[in-house]
C-alpha cells in the first residue's frame, strides 16, 4: 500500500510539474489560429526533438516544411512520420550538414532551385561537444555548427527572405547565453588547450542571441524580422548524444523539464505571433530581456563582422553570397 501511494504521488508530481511548465506547441498554434497554406518553412535539425515537433505543428497548420538535416536512417523515419502525421501541409527533406560550408551552399542552391518562397527560416539545429573537435572547415565544432553554419545559411538565403517579405528568422538560442558574461574576441573559435563544454555551448548561444539582434537591425526595414528564444532547459532530445554521461544526465532530469512538445512552443510562438519585438529574446512564449552582452549592439555588430571574415577566409569569392547582408535603411 505504501509503495502504491508513493508511486501515485510521483505520477501526480510528474503530471503537475509538466502542466506547470507551459503549453505545448500545438496549443500555441491553436490559440494563434494561423493558417499556413501556401507558406514555406525551413527547419534546421527538423528530424528530431524540438525541431521535429515544430515542423510537425507547422505542417499541421498547412505549411510546406523543408526539413534541413543530415542524411541518416533517423532522418528517413522522421520525414516519413511527419508526412503521415497530418493530411494538411507538405514535407520535403533536403540534406544539410551545418558543419560543412560546402554542404550549406549546396543546400541553399537546391532550395532556391525549387522556386519557392521562404516565409519562415527556423534555425533550430544545435549540439554540445564534450571534447574539442573541429568541422571540416577548421572551425571549433560548437561555434561552427551552432552559429557560423546558421550565419552562412542565412546570408545565402537573404535575397529569398527579402523577396518573400514579410518573413521571419527564428533562432533557437538558450538561457545558457547568460553564463559566459562576455565573448572573448581573441578566442572565439576556442582551442584544444582551454576547451570547456559549458563555456563553448554558452558562447555559441550568446552568439545566437546577438545574431538575431543584428540580423533584425539590418533587414527589418526590408520586411525580414528576427527573434531568438529559449526552448527550455535540459529537454530530453538528441542534444546529449555526443557522450553517454551527458545522455544519462538528460534522462535523469527529464521528469523535471519541459517535454519536447512544450519545448517547441516558443519556436512556434516566435514564428506566428503578432506584435513581437524584432531582434529580441523570448522565453515561455513571452518577451524576456537578454542579459549581459545579449543586448549590446556594438558587440552584435562586431560579432557579425568577425563571422563574415572567418567564413570569407574559407569560401572562394565566387561562392560567397552575391550581396552580403547590409543595413536596409
Amino acid at each position: 500500500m505504501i509503495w502504491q501511494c508513493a508511486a501515485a504521488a510521483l505520477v501526480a508530481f510528474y503530471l503537475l510539474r509538466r502542466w506547470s511548465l507551459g503549453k505545448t506547441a500545438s496549443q500555441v498554434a491553436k490559440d494563434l489560429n494561423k493558417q499556413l497554406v501556401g507558406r514555406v518553412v525551413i527547419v534546421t535539425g527538423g528530424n528530431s526533438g524540438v525541431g521535429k515537433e515544430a515542423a510537425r505543428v507547422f505542417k499541421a497548420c498547412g505549411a510546406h516544411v523543408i526539413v534541413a538535416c543530415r542524411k541518416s536512417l533517423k532522418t528517413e523515419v522522421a520525414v516519413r512520420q511527419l508526412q503521415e502525421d497530418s493530411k494538411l501541409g507538405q514535407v520535403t527533406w533536403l540534406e544539410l550538414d551545418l558543419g560543412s560550408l560546402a554542404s550549406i551552399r549546396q543546400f541553399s542552391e537546391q532550395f532556391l532551385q525549387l522556386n519557392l518562397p521562404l516565409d519562415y527560416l527556423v534555425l533550430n539545429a544545435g549540439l554540445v561537444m564534450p571534447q574539442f573537435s573541429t568541422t571540416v572547415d577548421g572551425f571549433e565544432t560548437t561555434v561552427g555548427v551552432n552559429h557560423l553554419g546558421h550565419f552562412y545559411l542565412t546570408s545565402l538565403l537573404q535575397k529569398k527572405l527579402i523577396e518573400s517579405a514579410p518573413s521571419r528568422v527564428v533562432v533557437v538560442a538558450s538561457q545558457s547565453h547568460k553564463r559566459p558574461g562576455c565573448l572573448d574576441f581573441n578566442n572565439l573559435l576556442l582551442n584544444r588547450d582551454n576547451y570547456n563544454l559549458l563555456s563553448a555551448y554558452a558562447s555559441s548561444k550568446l552568439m545566437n542571441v546577438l545574431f538575431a539582434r543584428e540580423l533584425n537591425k539590418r533587414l527589418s526595414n526590408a520586411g525580414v524580422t528576427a527573434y531568438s528564444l529559449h526552448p527550455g532547459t535540459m529537454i530530453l532530445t538528441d542534444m546529449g548524444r555526443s557522450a553517454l554521461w551527458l545522455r544519462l544526465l538528460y534522462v535523469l532530469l527529464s521528469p523535471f523539464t519541459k517535454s519536447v512538445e512544450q519545448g517547441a512552443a516558443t519556436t512556434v510562438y516566435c514564428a506566428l505571433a503578432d506584435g513581437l519585438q524584432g531582434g529580441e529574446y523570448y522565453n515561455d512564449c513571452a518577451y524576456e530581456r537578454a542579459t549581459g552582452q545579449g543586448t549590446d549592439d556594438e558587440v552584435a555588430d562586431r560579432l557579425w563582422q568577425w563571422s563574415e571574415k572567418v567564413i570569407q577566409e574559407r569560401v572562394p569569392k565566387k561562392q560567397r553570397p552575391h550581396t552580403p547582408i547590409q543595413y536596409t535603411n
Side-chain angles (χ1 to χ4, degrees):
M1 183 67 178
I2 294 177
W3 289 108
Q4 291 175 333
C5 291
L10 285 173
V11 170
F13 171 79
Y14 172 79
L15 294 174
L16 180 62
R17 175 62 176 164
R18 279 292 168 86
W19 175 82
S20 69
L21 289 172
K23 294 182 178 181
T24 66
S26 292
Q27 290 170 331
V28 169
K30 183 178 179 180
D31 290 347
L32 294 173
N33 193 29
K34 296 285 186 176
Q35 297 300 314
L36 301 181
V37 176
R39 302 295 182 90
V40 177
V41 186
I42 291 177
V43 182
T44 67
N47 62 336
S48 66
V50 169
K52 180 183 176 184
E53 177 61 13
R56 187 190 69 79
V57 172
F58 290 133
K59 179 179 179 293
C61 293
H64 182 175
V65 179
I66 309 295
V67 174
C69 56
R70 292 183 294 181
K71 184 177 183 179
S72 67
L73 177 60
K74 179 179 72 174
T75 296
E76 293 178 13
V77 172
V79 170
R80 185 165 59 249
Q81 290 173 339
L82 289 169
Q83 290 171 337
E84 296 172 352
D85 181 76
S86 169
K87 293 181 180 180
L88 293 174
Q90 181 179 348
V91 173
T92 300
W93 168 71
L94 292 180
E95 185 171 4
L96 172 66
D97 180 356
L98 286 164
S100 166
L101 297 178
S103 175
I104 296 168
R105 186 169 60 254
Q106 183 177 33
F107 168 87
S108 66
E109 291 171 352
Q110 291 178 336
F111 173 74
L112 293 174
Q113 287 172 4
L114 296 176
N115 198 28
L116 295 170
L118 179 53
D119 301 283
Y120 306 97
L121 175 59
V122 180
L123 305 179
N124 163 82
L127 49 71
V128 179
M129 296 301 293
Q131 285 91 34
F132 178 87
S133 65
T134 59
T135 68
V136 296
D137 301 295
F139 301 134
E140 187 280 316
T141 303
T142 313
V143 173
V145 171
N146 293 0
H147 169 62
L148 289 172
H150 281 140
F151 180 94
Y152 187 47
L153 175 65
T154 305
S155 68
L156 293 172
L157 296 176
Q158 170 200 357
K159 184 177 179 181
K160 179 61 70 174
L161 285 165
I162 293 174
E163 290 174 354
S164 307
S167 56
R168 295 189 184 189
V169 179
V170 178
V171 186
V172 179
S174 169
Q175 282 199 352
S176 295
H177 83 272
K178 302 176 181 180
R179 184 179 184 275
C182 61
L183 294 177
D184 180 3
F185 278 89
N186 294 316
N187 188 32
L188 287 183
L189 285 177
L190 311 177
N191 59 62
R192 191 180 302 275
D193 295 333
N194 65 0
Y195 182 79
N196 176 277
L197 173 156
L198 295 177
S199 294
Y201 181 73
S203 293
S204 73
K205 295 291 105 176
L206 177 55
M207 291 178 186
N208 289 160
V209 172
L210 291 168
F211 170 55
R213 188 174 186 86
E214 184 68 11
L215 180 65
N216 187 81
K217 186 176 181 181
R218 290 172 180 255
L219 294 188
S220 58
N221 283 352
V224 182
T225 50
Y227 313 88
S228 62
L229 65 97
H230 175 58
T233 302
M234 299 295 287
I235 299 172
L236 184 57
T237 66
D238 284 348
M239 282 289 290
R241 65 186 180 273
S242 53
L244 178 59
W245 69 266
L246 194 58
R247 183 66 176 172
L248 289 174
L249 180 61
Y250 273 80
V251 172
L252 290 172
L253 292 176
S254 62
F256 311 101
T257 63
K258 288 184 178 182
S259 66
V260 167
E261 292 78 11
Q262 291 170 317
T266 306
T267 298
V268 171
Y269 179 81
C270 285
L272 303 184
D274 296 324
L276 303 186
Q277 301 178 58
E280 299 296 346
Y281 173 77
Y282 285 78
N283 184 15
D284 289 330
C285 299
Y287 164 77
E288 179 176 299
R289 182 176 172 81
T291 59
Q293 287 186 324
T295 58
D296 192 321
D297 289 333
E298 290 186 8
V299 173
D301 179 67
R302 187 178 177 187
L303 175 65
W304 189 284
Q305 294 181 47
W306 173 84
S307 303
E308 285 186 331
K309 179 176 180 293
V310 296
I311 289 175
Q312 288 174 359
E313 289 173 349
R314 291 162 173 81
V315 176
K317 188 173 183 180
K318 65 180 181 179
Q319 296 174 352
R320 298 174 191 170
H322 295 300
T323 306
I325 299 178
Q326 302 292 340
Y327 292 103
T328 55
N329 294 344

